[in-house]
Amino acid sequence: MVEVNAGRRRPSSVVSLTRVPELAGWHREGDEIVLGACLTYADMERGELAALVPALAQAARTIGSPQIRAVATLGGNIGTASPAGDTLPVLAALDAVVEVAGRAGGRRVPLLELITGVKKTSLAPGELVTAVRVPVLRGGQEFLKVGTRNAMVISVVMVAVVVDLDGQSVRAGLGSVAPVPVRAREAERYAGEHTDWSRGRLAGPAVARRFGELCAESTAAIDDHRSTADYRRRAVAVCAARALARALPPLEA
Ligand SMILES: Cc1cc2nc3c(=O)[nH]c(=O)nc-3n(C[C@H](O)[C@H](O)[C@H](O)COP(=O)(O)OP(=O)(O)OC[C@H]3O[C@@H](n4cnc5c(N)ncnc54)[C@H](O)[C@@H]3O)c2cc1C
């Protein structure tokens, strides 16, 4: 609708997916959650799903207004493939796998392979996102977003941190700092090596700060009408350090 209202698109027809029951809601399959493509942000914000995937709930709560959250869907966020799509860093951090269906049948593709550029996906013509699979993990999760105001705002920077206590790993997804969602692999490796996994605590507060710096180094931030590259790197460093310290509290120095 944003593109239609701005005169950038004139679709000759529009297909509504809202009455396809197979695409709605979510369910659990063992250690995985299957999120329907038509799951709305309102569905993610609270309840059992929010307890199972808290970073997704935190991201959903920052999106648009209650009216937007009541109708806008996860499949639409992925299909838009905006660098500022708020669920995308969370899905990236969770190693989400997207289920796609088309006339030739179905396939599963990792989110980071599905999104190929600014508003570009590897979906073939006629292909539809039907669901997204994310793991149920034991450990803290955080999503932080910076914008030019508190609500109804397009992200300047997003950071999602997910801790997997059983797999002994930390994962970080970044958004609005590159054409596609970014995984901060070096920062993840560093945090994993500087965690006391037997106690589920970071080795110290300095680890969170260094993690933030490494996250900032993994961005490809640019100057644009919303922010500068310098500010974006600084905001990523601060948010990533804060998110990690909340998700995996440090042992006292
Ligand atoms: C006022 C306003 C505020 C907004 N605020 C935010 C915000 O804070 N954060 C944010 O991330 N986004 C925001 N958005 C953008 C948008 O609403 C979301 O990205 C939303 O998730 C789109 O979902 P939808 O179901 O409405 O998709 P649509 O708008 O119907 O579709 C968007 C695109 O995705 C494609 N698509 C939809 N469903 C699928 C599917 N199942 N498979 C494949 N392709 C599909 C469509 O063809 C289209 O190209 C905002 C939009 C508005 C109008």
Side-chain angles (χ1 to χ4, degrees):
M1 279 313 298
V2 175
E3 298 207 335
V4 170
N5 288 340
R8 286 199 290 268
R9 269 208 213 188
R10 286 276 171 265
S12 55
S13 56
V14 173
V15 178
S16 171
L17 303 175
T18 50
R19 292 195 206 156
V20 183
E22 292 86 347
L23 302 182
W26 65 276
H27 64 275
R28 186 167 178 167
E29 280 182 13
D31 288 340
E32 278 190 329
I33 308 263
V34 184
L35 307 163
C38 286
L39 190 75
T40 66
Y41 300 124
D43 295 331
M44 300 172 212
E45 276 179 74
R46 60 187 78 84
E48 195 187 346
L49 182 57
L52 288 167
V53 202
L56 194 62
Q58 288 173 320
R61 288 184 205 116
T62 72
I63 293 177
S65 60
Q67 295 91 331
I68 295 290
R69 296 199 290 274
V71 291
T73 66
L74 186 64
N77 211 219
I78 294 170
T80 304
S82 162
D86 284 312
T87 65
L88 305 182
V90 179
L91 298 181
L94 288 167
D95 283 322
V97 172
V98 181
E99 291 187 4
V100 172
R103 275 188 220 164
R107 63 189 175 106
R108 289 183 184 183
V109 49
L111 177 91
L112 290 175
E113 288 174 26
L114 190 86
I115 298 185
T116 53
V118 176
K119 301 198 174 172
K120 289 195 174 68
T121 68
S122 57
L123 288 172
E127 275 192 327
L128 189 72
V129 172
T130 53
V132 181
R133 286 177 177 266
V134 295
V136 178
L137 297 174
R138 202 171 59 83
Q141 297 188 3
E142 280 290 328
F143 171 87
L144 294 175
K145 163 172 166 178
V146 173
T148 49
R149 56 187 183 197
N150 273 344
M152 285 293 286
V153 67
I154 296 179
S155 304
V156 163
V157 151
M158 291 166 277
V159 173
V161 171
V162 170
V163 176
D164 177 1
L165 289 174
D166 298 316
Q168 301 197 342
S169 70
V170 171
R171 306 162 187 192
L174 312 176
S176 286
V177 291
V180 295
V182 169
R183 277 287 290 272
R185 308 272 183 196
E186 185 60 26
E188 294 177 1
R189 191 190 53 72
Y190 172 81
E193 287 173 1
H194 292 81
T195 295
D196 180 341
W197 288 108
S198 63
R199 286 195 271 185
R201 304 281 292 266
L202 277 186
V207 175
R209 286 194 293 277
R210 181 66 190 137
F211 172 80
E213 288 164 9
L214 289 170
C215 283
E217 284 173 21
S218 67
T219 65
I222 56 164
D223 293 340
D224 66 11
H225 58 291
R226 279 191 208 110
S227 185
T228 62
D230 277 349
Y231 178 79
R232 284 191 161 106
R233 281 190 289 271
R234 174 78 187 134
V236 165
V238 171
C239 289
R242 200 172 288 170
L244 181 62
R246 287 181 189 169
L248 196 57
L251 296 166
E252 289 312 311

